[in-house]
Amino acid sequence: MSLRTFAGPALAVLFTLLLSACQTTTPGSMQGAVEVRSGVIEQITDVQISNTKTRGLGAVVGGALGLGVGSLIGGGTGRDVAMVLGTIGGAVTGNAVQRRNQEPIPGQDIIVRLTNGVLVSVTQEPTNLRVGQKVFIQGQGEDARVTPAK
């Protein structure tokens, strides 16, 4: 089998990966009820949050672009080799470019004592919250957010 036989399916897989890497979820898209807990802020610590929301996207985009450029070079087996090398080179270059642009962002680690006495830590982007303030914790896991109680 020649490399040309794999070029179509490889392009389809790269395109699918590219689309799935771009997919995002929004808080409003969650189905079902979201637990809301209440408490008082015990401590707020400034931290750096790693910016990894688009990890892998650079490699996928670079690989797809490399495949496209490689398909423009030569013909026959030489073209197939150029497409494979373009895909690999583009993926490596795209990943390197993306890593350079993923600097940490400022954040806060907020410790909340819930009304039942349990301590909960939530890391999020900076807000105007203060120690001793009554708050709600909305959501859970990475989607949890601390908001002021009204």
Side-chain angles (χ1 to χ4, degrees):
M1 288 187 140
S2 72
L3 289 176
R4 176 167 278 161
T5 322
F6 296 107
L11 183 56
V13 168
L14 280 174
F15 185 70
T16 302
L17 288 173
L18 175 63
L19 289 178
S20 65
C22 293
Q23 182 181 13
T24 59
T25 57
T26 57
S29 68
M30 292 177 56
Q31 294 183 7
V34 176
E35 181 182 3
V36 178
R37 297 164 284 178
S38 62
V40 177
I41 296 178
E42 295 257 327
Q43 178 181 339
I44 299 176
T45 307
D46 292 330
V47 296
Q48 294 291 315
I49 302 172
S50 62
N51 185 8
T52 59
K53 291 182 181 175
T54 57
R55 181 169 281 172
L57 184 60
V60 172
V61 171
L65 290 174
L67 177 65
V69 171
S71 70
L72 300 175
I73 298 173
T77 305
R79 179 177 177 210
D80 295 340
V81 171
M83 289 170 61
V84 170
L85 292 177
T87 302
I88 293 169
V92 169
T93 303
N95 190 40
V97 168
Q98 182 183 11
R99 277 195 200 161
R100 265 198 315 264
N101 295 327
Q102 286 188 331
E103 296 182 12
I105 56 176
Q108 292 179 326
D109 185 39
I110 304 168
I111 309 278
V112 176
R113 182 171 302 275
L114 300 179
T115 53
N116 64 4
V118 173
L119 290 175
V120 176
S121 173
V122 176
T123 302
Q124 65 185 38
E125 293 180 6
T127 61
N128 292 329
L129 300 172
R130 65 189 187 304
V131 173
Q133 184 175 7
K134 290 183 180 182
V135 294
F136 293 121
I137 299 177
Q138 300 175 341
Q140 60 185 359
E142 289 185 17
D143 294 328
R145 294 291 171 254
V146 178
T147 58
K150 301 207 186 270

